[in-house]
Amino acid sequence: MSRLKAALDPRSVAIIGASENPNKVGGRPVHYLDKFGFKGRIFPINPSRAEVQGYKCYKSLDDLPEAPDMVIVAVAGDNAIGVVEDCAAHGVKVAVVMASGFGEVDAVAGKAKERRMVEAAHKAGMRIVGPNSQGLANFGTGAIASFSTMFMDMDRAEGHVAMLSQSGALSTVPVGFLRQRGIGVRHTHATGNDADITVGELAVAVAEDPEVKLLLLYLESIPETKYLEELAAVALDRDLPIIALKSGRSEAGRQAAQSHTGALANEDSVVDAFFEQHGIWRAPDMRGLVEATELYLKGWKPKGRRLVAISNSGAVCVMTADAATAVGMPMAKLSVETDNKLKGILPSFATTTNPIDLTAALLSNSRLFGDILPVIAEDPAADAFLIGVPVAGPGYDVEAFARDAAAFGRQTGKPLVIAATQRSVADQFAAEGSSVFPTETEAVAALHQFLAHRELMARTLARKTARAEGAVRPASPPMLPAATTMLNEADSLALLAARGIAVVPHRLCRSRAEAIAAFEAIGGPVVVKGCSADIAHKSELGLVRLGVATREEAGEIWAQMEGSIRKHGARFDGVIVAAMAGGRREIMIGAHRDPVFGPVVAVGDGGKYVEIFRDTALLLPPFSTSDVRETLGRLRIAPLFAGVRGEPPMDDDALCDAVLRIGELMLDPAAKAMSLDLNPVLLDSAGKGCVVVDAVMFQG
């Protein structure tokens, strides 16, 4: 945390606008610093008071005995600007600006005020958190520079979770959820408008805290990726999981986020790809952000995701299997040896195959859990476990169930979750240290998130290692959008061919005679297309003709297309005569340069309905062949690649190679590629390759 030590572990804190009333913005930080045991010096500043909450009060920064590491700016509106400038002049290291009314309400004048504060700070070597910040809270050091109401009824119960947010409310609401489950937090910080210290930069410093075992993020905008990439690298080195809730998935949400923060919204699918590339789990909502927290704090090192379910209810067994299937978690197939041992323990009417239904036998024999769990623990197919106890009461030794389950979890070191709806039952399992959820669906969802996230982190670390060994080229820095020029199709195909990407045999014909000669050389039937650097969508203007069968027809169509292109006032670059390529599936490969995330490559189902079915997935270069293959596996059309209904497999090796080469092209500054659209790319059977039939490329 050395980079931002004054923000997270200051030696002294001054509060400008300090109040005697702990329920006011200027009073809360004084109260919290005292309440949570801050060991440094506290300097309330208020010219109208001699004392604030038992601390000597000062009239101004001039009167302090020393320059404080941190100043909390608890004055309103534009008054904060002058206070920040005064802090910079007095050698303050960090100013936490709580005032609002800046870039979040006025993207022009408000942002200009923010820049004025930041410039004044940087000239003196000072950093700023905010403005519009609810503040910072490090419960490990007691440095609570925040006015959050949430902390008023909290005791000092620091944990191992860090919560960082651009929103004040969303920095503390998750804390409330976690407290309900008895989980403490070590950090909760709200950076507000991110005018200087961004949530990403602060998160890097927090990730270096060895006491942090899980880091949670709430983001409304990602204006740059530098610190998030650094954060991901630090986290992977520390084996520290990161869960991010990035709002603005819908258009309405993006507009709301923009009006809230004054920052431009990000393209949501690219955010998904960025998190995937860096091993960050993206939560769909607030519950997904915090629901699996307990599992991350157990220290488990899972080896797989095959699930074994055990319950005294057949219905719970069925619903557990349904929930597991829905998230892609396979039910483990137990060995014959395990099955035989279970048959020797359980009554004949119990189910010994997974999921294991103990039925009402549990009522008459409370030792069943303790007897069967060690047997199951020895089965190599069992990676994770769910125990469901939907109903229990008098006659059931729930205390023994809970004790046996906890001992089983400790013995195996494998992930174990409990589904128990009754509070009295859930409390006994929780008291033994087990992770308890109200329903099997919630338990499976949390377990799936934890296991899938650990797998994602492992894949990301493997990619990082390969990249460090030179197996993958480093990414180029994002290129900002600039004036672009569209290449005509012939030039686009030529550039792709030069990169080793297979393109349809074709000729660019600048005369009728050349079109006839091309037909004879290629052999009919052929495709004839108009070629102009001013026309991206040729079919809409009738500039694509399929199945041209004679040399005379080819010459006549050439003349028609020349006339049509000139009629529309576009440049006439010629007419393309191309072979009628064959293939089994039309694929789309596209790419563009995002202003924040840099090059983005898309691959998916192609053809004229590409925008209707939207079966595409994104990759951020650099990526490997295995990355491409994994991405193709997430498409809805993925089963077709392996061949269905007796069809032979498709040449997904050739498709992976083409996508890989497009990624390399987007990383090469010499290519000046801003965007490209290859649709269709015809994919054929294994060994027969794939070929680009149509291409549009823009250069910057």
Side-chain angles (χ1 to χ4, degrees), residues 115-268:
R115 287 193 296 272
R116 174 181 164 185
M117 285 191 290
V118 173
E119 289 170 2
H122 286 188
K123 285 180 182 178
M126 187 177 79
R127 303 298 305 276
I128 292 176
V129 175
N132 191 33
S133 168
Q134 185 171 274
L136 312 180
N138 182 347
F139 292 98
T141 63
I144 315 299
S146 170
F147 65 89
S148 171
T149 304
M150 179 71 70
F151 307 150
M152 292 299 284
D153 63 348
M154 281 178 60
D155 296 322
R156 182 167 185 172
E158 64 192 75
H160 298 284
V161 180
M163 176 72 222
L164 292 97
S165 169
Q166 291 167 322
S167 159
L170 268 295
S171 71
T172 54
V173 169
V175 174
F177 276 113
L178 294 177
R179 287 182 63 215
Q180 292 173 13
R181 297 184 69 89
I183 300 172
V185 297
R186 184 171 177 85
H187 296 266
T188 175
H189 307 303
T191 57
N193 290 4
D194 284 8
D196 180 19
I197 296 176
T198 65
V199 69
E201 183 180 4
L202 189 62
V204 174
V206 170
E208 294 173 348
D209 183 344
E211 292 299 318
V212 173
K213 297 181 180 179
L214 176 66
L215 195 148
L216 309 178
L217 290 174
Y218 173 74
L219 305 170
E220 290 187 354
S221 65
I222 303 176
E224 51 85 29
T225 61
K226 172 184 175 182
Y227 289 116
L228 287 179
E229 290 172 346
E230 184 178 353
L231 168 65
V234 170
L236 283 175
D237 287 342
R238 278 204 54 212
D239 196 30
L240 171 67
I242 302 172
I243 306 173
L245 174 55
K246 168 66 172 66
S247 60
R249 283 188 177 273
S250 66
E251 182 57 35
R254 285 190 287 274
Q255 291 177 3
Q258 184 171 336
S259 65
H260 183 199
T261 64
L264 293 176
N266 304 101
E267 185 180 342
D268 195 61

Side-chain angles (χ1 to χ4, degrees), residues 592-666:
H592 72 279
R593 197 169 293 277
D594 187 275
V596 173
F597 298 99
V600 180
V601 176
V603 61
D605 201 12
K608 64 181 180 179
Y609 298 123
V610 63
E611 295 178 356
I612 303 299
F613 295 119
R614 295 184 178 276
D615 185 17
T616 58
L618 303 184
L619 297 115
L620 302 186
F623 47 76
S624 66
T625 300
S626 61
D627 295 330
V628 180
R629 195 173 299 282
E630 181 184 329
T631 300
L632 292 176
R634 294 199 294 266
L635 298 173
R636 293 195 298 274
I637 63 169
L640 301 180
F641 296 144
V644 296
R645 295 185 177 274
E647 296 174 343
M650 296 188 193
D651 200 341
D652 54 356
D653 288 339
L655 179 57
C656 287
D657 183 69
V659 175
L660 196 66
R661 291 175 187 271
I662 293 299
E664 293 171 349
L665 183 151
M666 293 300 294

Side-chain angles (χ1 to χ4, degrees), residues 16-27:
I16 297 180
S19 171
E20 179 67 20
N21 186 347
N23 288 321
K24 290 188 175 181
V25 171

Side-chain angles (χ1 to χ4, degrees), residues 45-65:
I45 297 178
N46 187 326
S48 63
R49 301 192 65 89
E51 185 178 282
V52 167
Q53 298 183 39
Y55 291 93
K56 178 182 178 180
C57 190
Y58 299 85
K59 295 185 181 299
S60 69
L61 287 170
D62 289 327
D63 299 322
L64 297 184

